[in-house]
Amino acid sequence: MKLLSKFIKPVYAHCDLMCGVYDPAQARIEAQSVYNACKKYAESDDSVFKERAVIIKEKRADLCKEHLWVLWTDYFKPEHAEKNPGLHDLVWRATKAAGDAKKSMDAAVAQKLIDLVDEVGAAFAMTKDGYDYNAVKSNMEKQAV
Amino acid sequence: MITMQLSRIWKNRQFSLLKIRRVVGSSMQPTLRANALVYATSLYRRLMPGDIVIINHNGLEKIKRVEAVQGSELFVLGDNALESTDSRTFGWLNTSTVQAKVIWPRT
């Protein structure tokens, strides 16, 4: 039967998002990198190192924003926003925080980004059975400087 | 009624008494899992909300469920709302895009 079915023309139960793989861990990793870069910048006296820290932090903040956008525009669906009415505002604030983190070397600004990404992660976990965002958070906290 | 059906079939030029298709993708789960076989026909009287249809969209035959019918326009959805690209994204479709209505499995 399996062999036979290979000869039958396909009809597509279509989804543009073929992979269907989404994870706020990506945004959280980048947010943690932003935070660590700010800390290392503050602790260093080496001007070349500091310059690199700024460049890397800006790239990571940009990636964090990108990952948040992917969750917002591709993963979250109207049903999620209905169940969580603050969702759009939350993601908007988180992406704004990523923009702020690009402009600043203040670890407190980076921490605000982390906190908002964690809120997005918690919102994501509510939509996916068995997904444990706390594990992501705990792994990242272990890598904080 | 027969004249209307014939005219629709003629316009579509895709008439087939029985289409057998193999489902690819996950947007119709749990009703239709990947590799499920479906039987469909172009010979149907009318479309109703709840019907599963094969549509021709962007050059692909896609399978979706009719959510609403308004005149000559259809709103279609995948049963697996979280993994489906459907009328929520591409909007209402003209009924002329419908190639066939699924007659089996009955859902």
Side-chain angles (χ1 to χ4, degrees):
Chain A
M1 192 64 185
K2 266 189 177 173
L3 186 69
L4 185 69
S5 72
K6 283 189 178 166
F7 296 102
I8 296 173
K9 272 178 77 177
V11 63
Y12 296 90
H14 181 71
C15 181
D16 280 340
L17 316 163
M18 299 302 275
C19 61
V21 177
Y22 299 97
D23 198 326
Q26 288 177 298
R28 183 59 166 85
I29 290 167
E30 304 308 347
Q32 192 65 55
S33 297
V34 169
Y35 179 88
N36 283 13
C38 289
K39 285 286 221 182
K40 289 193 173 196
Y41 173 91
E43 287 162 8
S44 175
D45 293 324
D46 180 340
S47 63
V48 176
F49 181 88
K50 281 169 101 76
E51 197 175 324
R52 286 190 62 220
V54 172
I55 293 167
I56 288 167
K57 183 218 58 166
E58 293 209 5
K59 275 188 187 163
R60 299 292 137 182
D62 225 20
L63 281 170
C64 180
K65 195 188 259 189
E66 176 83 22
H67 291 311
L68 289 168
W69 274 333
V70 169
L71 290 175
W72 195 14
T73 55
D74 294 351
Y75 174 73
F76 286 121
K77 292 279 194 296
E79 306 83 282
H80 299 142
E82 270 170 36
K83 283 183 191 157
N84 182 354
L87 185 66
H88 289 315
D89 181 61
L90 170 63
V91 185
W92 181 72
R93 284 186 290 124
T95 50
K96 280 272 186 200
D100 291 342
K102 265 180 85 173
K103 292 180 276 185
S104 168
M105 289 311 292
D106 184 351
V109 175
Q111 184 60 52
K112 188 183 166 200
L113 172 62
I114 288 177
D115 293 343
L116 285 163
V117 170
D118 283 346
E119 282 188 49
V120 174
F124 177 91
M126 281 167 65
T127 68
K128 251 199 171 11
D129 276 347
Y131 181 87
D132 183 5
Y133 184 75
N134 286 329
V136 173
K137 205 172 150 179
S138 149
N139 286 335
M140 283 298 104
E141 279 165 0
K142 283 176 194 150
Q143 295 181 69
V145 291
Chain B
M1 186 56 81
I2 288 171
T3 322
M4 275 173 67
Q5 262 192 55
L6 287 175
S7 132
R8 174 175 53 74
I9 288 162
W10 177 249
K11 273 183 199 158
N12 287 349
R13 312 275 176 92
Q14 291 281 341
F15 172 75
S16 67
L17 191 60
L18 188 66
K19 270 182 195 278
I20 305 176
R21 294 290 183 266
R22 175 173 50 87
V23 175
V24 173
S26 57
S27 80
M28 286 301 287
Q29 285 185 10
T31 317
L32 300 170
R33 298 199 173 272
N35 282 324
L37 293 187
V38 296
Y39 298 80
T41 181
S42 310
L43 198 63
Y44 57 88
R45 199 172 275 181
R46 58 182 177 151
L47 293 170
M48 300 281 286
D51 287 340
I52 295 179
V53 289
I54 294 175
I55 52 172
N56 194 337
H57 184 253
N58 287 347
L60 282 181
E61 278 192 352
K62 298 178 185 175
I63 187 162
K64 299 287 169 195
R65 192 184 289 278
V66 176
E67 172 72 11
V69 188
Q70 273 182 18
S72 63
E73 300 225 292
L74 286 180
F75 197 87
V76 295
L77 294 176
D79 283 3
N80 180 4
L82 294 181
E83 289 174 29
S84 174
T85 303
D86 45 42
S87 286
R88 292 174 300 172
T89 307
F90 51 68
W92 290 75
L93 298 174
N94 196 283
T95 46
S96 64
T97 58
V98 176
Q99 299 292 302
K101 178 165 141 176
V102 172
I103 49 172
W104 192 88
R106 288 182 169 278
T107 57

